[in-house]
Amino acid sequence: MSLPKPAMRGLLAKRLRFHLPIAFGLSLIAAAAFKFGVTEPRKKAYADFYKHYDSMKEFSAMKEAGIFESVRPTGK
Amino acid sequence: MISSAVLRGIGSLARTRTAFTAPLAVRCYSHAKVETDEEFDSRWVTYFSKPDLDTWELRKGMNTLIGYDLVPEPKILDSALRACRRLNDLASAIRILEAVKDKSGPHKEIYPYVIQELRPTLQELGISTPEELGIHKV
């Protein structure tokens, strides 16, 4: 019982033609997932924090707490 | 969007590559004549058939051949094994068989077919396969 001749050429090319688009696609999906799962929420958190940030109020609170050396709390 | 355009490009690249099965000299931009499989095979059979092939040329030829995206045809291997016989190099002959098995990768049907085709040559030249010697497993 003799064996039939199998395909012997271009085996790697066939494998790459199948796997490379999948690899490329998965990488793009991973990048998109990171962008929309991590970086965009992070940017939004910073934007939301600073949208109504009153720096003078925060400064006065810190000043009254006495942490600065160049400006002391009122009444000291 | 850039990523969808790139994905479409990769997909169309994969689909239009109908010549992916030929291993050599198939470029989309070169005007060089494409060598057929038969021409490739006979070129290599001729290479190993040189009567005064030396050991360096045998090793160089085999290493170059192994670098291609193909498993060498039995007729090329026959020519290489006869060159090993002329050079009294049984070790390289058995190594060539091991290389064929390695090049087949996950395609386990290739190696038994090649051995089947080479069986008359192996018997004539007195070459044992790695399996017959028990050196096929680590």
Side-chain angles (χ1 to χ4, degrees):
Chain A
M1 200 266 310
S2 80
L3 301 162
K5 181 170 179 184
M8 288 166 70
R9 294 182 126 92
L11 301 171
L12 177 66
K14 196 168 77 166
R15 179 187 169 83
L16 287 180
R17 184 152 71 143
F18 179 74
H19 283 96
L20 272 180
I22 294 174
F24 208 82
L26 283 179
S27 311
L28 285 176
I29 289 172
F34 191 82
K35 180 182 176 71
F36 293 110
V38 177
T39 60
E40 289 302 316
R42 211 174 262 178
K43 281 156 66 177
K44 185 173 184 304
Y46 273 87
D48 290 344
F49 178 83
Y50 283 106
K51 193 187 298 185
H52 301 296
Y53 183 72
D54 185 350
S55 54
M56 283 318 296
K57 176 165 145 245
E58 298 295 325
F59 169 70
S60 301
M62 285 189 250
K63 183 174 111 175
E64 297 311 318
I67 62 161
F68 295 126
E69 291 183 4
S70 52
V71 47
R72 302 308 307 161
T74 54
K76 267 269 273 294
Chain B
M1 230 200 21
I2 295 179
S3 56
S4 64
V6 171
L7 269 176
R8 256 184 281 117
I10 292 286
S12 65
L13 183 75
R15 258 175 272 119
T16 53
R17 280 292 181 105
T18 52
F20 242 144
T21 47
L24 308 166
V26 179
R27 308 263 189 267
C28 294
Y29 46 85
S30 168
H31 299 293
K33 192 169 86 78
V34 175
E35 187 182 48
T36 68
D37 289 349
E38 293 73 29
E39 285 166 353
F40 174 84
D41 290 345
S42 41
R43 190 160 55 83
W44 276 102
V45 168
T46 311
Y47 177 90
F48 286 114
S49 307
K50 194 164 83 110
D52 56 345
L53 192 82
D54 65 36
T55 45
W56 185 92
E57 285 167 347
L58 172 69
R59 281 179 281 121
K60 173 66 180 169
M62 278 316 301
N63 277 308
T64 309
L65 192 59
I66 292 300
Y68 296 138
D69 180 17
L70 50 84
V71 180
E73 289 286 318
K75 54 178 168 321
I76 303 177
L77 298 169
D78 170 87
S79 184
L81 291 174
R82 290 182 191 284
C84 290
R85 173 63 269 188
R86 290 198 298 279
L87 292 163
N88 298 319
D89 193 350
L90 177 63
S92 295
I94 299 172
R95 195 63 173 150
I96 288 171
L97 300 179
E98 290 179 321
V100 168
K101 185 154 189 210
D102 185 70
K103 280 299 285 186
S104 314
H107 303 269
K108 297 211 186 298
E109 69 281 3
I110 296 179
Y111 180 68
Y113 168 78
V114 168
I115 293 296
Q116 169 192 282
E117 297 298 308
L118 286 177
R119 189 54 74 184
T121 308
L122 296 178
Q123 267 166 5
E124 180 195 330
L125 300 178
I127 299 170
S128 310
T129 67
E131 289 71 29
E132 287 160 8
L133 295 172
I135 61 171
H136 58 297
K137 297 245 178 287
V138 181

